[in-house]
Amino acid sequence: MNRAPGFMENAFPPGMPDEQSWQQACALRRQHWGDAVFLRGIIEFSNYCKQNCLYCGLRRDNAKLARYRLTPEAILAATADIAALGIGTVVLQSGEDPHYDAPALAEIVSAVKRRFGLAVTLSVGERDFADYALWREAGADRYLLKMESFDHSLHARLRLGCSLDARLRAFEHLVSLDYETGTGLIAGLPGETPDSAQRDMAKLALLQADMISISPFIPHPDTPLGAQPACPPTTALHRMALARLATPCAHIPVTSALALHGNAMRLQALEVGDVLMPSLTPENVRAAYAIYPGKNAAATPPKVRAAAMQAMLLEHGFSLPSGPGKAWRKKS
Ligand code: SAH
Ligand code: SF4
């Protein structure tokens, strides 16, 4: 991966854990989730986006990106692959794409529930509250809505036309609809300061989300932040540990942006994290889900990659529960 000049592996902001707190975070992960790794198969069903987040390759002003949308049939075929792998959750993710109106997506959610009985996570951004309610009624179990940054001015600057308050209200509404809710951050966004990073972690703790996703910022050349430095992977790793200390029973994924740094990094991250999200997006479109460079770039077919990931985890002594892998507060 290209790293900008000035990249420093050990440049942690204040508040990063020492060895002792890292060990504590590892112990909490084991206490709550044992040796389990929960797999969520993700289908990135549209890369159209009406938003213009400065950091993201799917932003609407990125005219270089070839856009795609999967048909409901293609989404269900990819879901069949996920079910065949013994994975209990499908994550349906996209840019903010109004083409899939609320009833269309509700239809897909109920077809997934009917045919495969998998847990369904949606990650399609900020939508009308009535849409969230309809999808919940259709059987959606979880919703992932990352705050990205809890700093009001940084959030407004990086997520053009959006506000942190609106996103927080959307999150609270999802909680009120009894979704299992996920949120999180992009670590090392340009403009982040040691103080804002510390406040981010404190505010994240207040939400006590069921799932917490922390990705390292990776610059995309076709965005306004293309020349900014990448976030060191260790920074994301340490913030995952802090998230574990603050919300011990959360599901914490190793994001694909962190896993990009190789298998050793992925395994290290699984000492505090407990979720991996292999992409089962069909081969003919998957490289175009280019949130950041290198995402979905592997040549191996998605099913083969996911099966290899399962084998690798078993080899390293992890167990792979086949159920939905519910949030702690919903475990029976
Ligand atoms: N459109 C939806 C979901 C898809 S984007 C939404 O924004 O909520 C999925 C995630 O990709 C975002 O939540 C963000 O955290 C991450 N992301 C986008 N650009 C990134 C970048 N350059 N580096 C790291 N993560 C990025
Ligand atoms: Fe769209 Fe999500 Fe990317 Fe923002 S982060 S541009 S909302 S896909």
Side-chain angles (χ1 to χ4, degrees), residues 55-56 93-95 123 125 146 148 167 186 216-218 289 291:
Y55 43 79
C56 177
Q93 191 180 78
S94 69
S123 173
K146 291 173 70 176
E148 321 296 8
R167 210 157 168 90
I186 304 179
F217 166 69
I218 301 178
Y289 200 75
I291 286 174

Side-chain angles (χ1 to χ4, degrees), residues 59-129:
R59 65 198 304 271
R60 70 164 183 265
D61 283 355
N62 181 10
K64 286 196 188 164
L65 184 67
R67 305 282 172 167
Y68 73 87
R69 275 187 195 106
L70 296 182
T71 60
E73 294 70 33
I75 295 172
L76 290 172
T79 308
D81 290 343
I82 291 170
L85 284 160
I87 295 176
T89 296
V90 57
V91 182
L92 300 175
Q93 191 180 78
S94 69
E96 282 193 22
D97 180 4
H99 173 86
Y100 284 95
D101 60 12
L105 200 48
E107 189 44 52
I108 294 169
V109 170
S110 55
V112 169
K113 298 301 285 188
R114 219 171 33 239
R115 289 197 211 171
F116 306 103
L118 299 183
V120 175
T121 304
L122 294 175
S123 173
V124 300
E126 285 172 61
R127 300 279 293 240
D128 288 347
F129 288 0

Side-chain angles (χ1 to χ4, degrees), residues 178-209:
D178 199 31
Y179 277 96
E180 294 177 38
T181 44
T183 191
L185 301 164
I186 304 179
L189 279 168
E192 179 191 287
T193 64
D195 276 354
S196 76
Q198 231 168 351
R199 282 195 305 270
D200 272 352
M201 294 313 298
K203 289 187 176 166
L204 190 57
L206 290 178
L207 292 185
Q208 289 292 300

Side-chain angles (χ1 to χ4, degrees), residues 42 46 48-49 51 53-58 92-97 122-126 143-148 159 167 184-187 189 213-220 223 225 255-258 289-293 295:
I42 183 164
S46 164
Y48 282 86
C49 191
Q51 299 296 358
C53 306
L54 259 57
Y55 43 79
C56 177
L58 307 193
L92 300 175
Q93 191 180 78
S94 69
E96 282 193 22
D97 180 4
L122 294 175
S123 173
V124 300
E126 285 172 61
Y143 204 100
L144 171 60
L145 189 69
K146 291 173 70 176
M147 295 304 137
E148 321 296 8
R159 306 196 65 250
R167 210 157 168 90
L185 301 164
I186 304 179
L189 279 168
S213 157
I214 296 177
S215 3
F217 166 69
I218 301 178
H220 189 302
T223 65
L225 302 180
T255 63
S256 54
L258 186 55
Y289 200 75
I291 286 174
Y292 48 81
K295 166 106 179 99

